[in-house]
Amino acid sequence: METGRGTVAPRSSAAPRPALAWELARILIGIAVVGILVYAYALRIAVGDVNPLDYFGYFTNQTSLIAAGVLIGTGFLGVSGRRAPSWLTLLRGLVTAYLIIVGVIYNVLVPGTGSAPPWVSVVLHVVFPVVVVLDWLLVGDHPRLPWRLLWLLLPYPVMWLIVVLLRGVTDGWVPYGFLLPERGPLSLLLHIVVLLAAVLLAGVLVWSASRFRGVWSAGRRIDRT
């Protein structure tokens, strides 16, 4: 730009090199998780279990797929130097809370279950949740999440539970043993209440963490008000 005081070089919208490397890592991690989910589904197809409603009926598989998409989208926006829209930041917070639940439920209540290869289970139930949580905690590229939106954590798991319980009483399929209808209504109610309470608690942790800058700003200036 030419001015009366000389020539001023235009400011680049591209992310600095360290930030660019992390944005690319987000994209690659997201693509890798999608690839792992497809691979695990292909293994099920190979043994005759082709029903996608069963495979994608697992909370882990659904939330991992959504989180991978969020990472990929956030990474592409970062590479182009654009700020993530508020809805994408909120979705990122939601899936971070859900993956906390994935890690806790799997490793506490149902460790070692499922037909996927052990390394796939480790990646989806340990490695990926840890990566997503660290991304939220350490990279300060998100604004504070409003507490008035905390309730948005509940509609998705409630809908998932309704579908799972309906399938349990109709075709007998449930993704996790603690949701089996034969355990009785009291046991089911207790597990559902605990699960939803855990989701809210995970959300409180994620919402609270959004109030901290993180150790790395990812090269972006963030309005944290």
Side-chain angles (χ1 to χ4, degrees):
M1 175 183 290
E2 193 73 27
T3 68
R5 295 177 180 270
T7 301
V8 178
R11 179 175 296 178
S12 172
S13 61
R17 287 183 182 273
L20 179 61
W22 183 249
E23 303 295 3
L24 292 174
R26 283 172 166 166
I27 296 171
L28 293 176
I29 291 169
I31 292 174
V33 169
V34 172
I36 289 171
L37 289 168
V38 171
Y39 168 75
Y41 182 46
L43 292 180
R44 293 174 66 110
I45 293 175
V47 297
D49 187 1
V50 299
N51 189 347
L53 296 179
D54 290 354
Y55 181 72
F56 290 103
Y58 285 90
F59 192 77
T60 297
N61 295 344
Q62 290 182 18
T63 54
S64 295
L65 185 61
I66 297 170
V70 169
L71 276 185
I72 293 170
T74 303
F76 273 116
L77 287 172
V79 168
S80 64
R82 290 179 290 172
R83 181 179 299 179
S86 58
W87 66 265
L88 183 59
T89 299
L90 175 61
L91 182 57
R92 185 178 159 206
L94 294 176
V95 296
T96 300
Y98 296 148
L99 286 185
I100 292 175
I101 298 302
V102 165
V104 171
I105 295 297
Y106 178 82
N107 292 288
V108 174
L109 291 182
V110 289
T113 61
S115 58
W119 71 268
V120 172
S121 292
V122 170
V123 170
L124 296 181
H125 297 99
V126 180
V127 177
F128 190 45
V130 168
V131 168
V132 170
V133 169
L134 289 178
D135 180 53
W136 183 261
L137 288 174
L138 302 181
V139 184
D141 63 345
H142 48 74
R144 298 173 180 174
L145 295 180
W147 289 108
R148 68 179 184 276
L149 299 181
L150 185 66
W151 68 273
L152 289 174
L153 283 160
L154 293 178
Y156 168 68
V158 167
M159 289 300 300
W160 177 81
L161 283 166
I162 290 173
V163 172
V164 166
L165 293 176
L166 285 175
R167 289 201 62 190
V169 298
T170 54
D171 60 19
W173 184 91
V174 294
Y176 307 110
F178 59 86
L179 293 175
L180 286 169
E182 53 263 35
R183 290 186 176 272
L186 184 59
S187 175
L188 286 176
L189 180 61
L190 178 61
H191 280 93
I192 289 171
V193 170
V194 171
L195 178 60
L196 294 179
V199 168
L200 283 176
L201 177 58
V204 168
L205 296 176
V206 171
W207 258 244
S208 298
S210 73
R211 272 122 182 98
F212 298 94
R213 291 184 177 275
V215 298
W216 182 30
S217 66
R220 301 186 207 172
R221 183 178 179 181
I222 302 299
D223 180 7
R224 305 188 66 81
T225 58

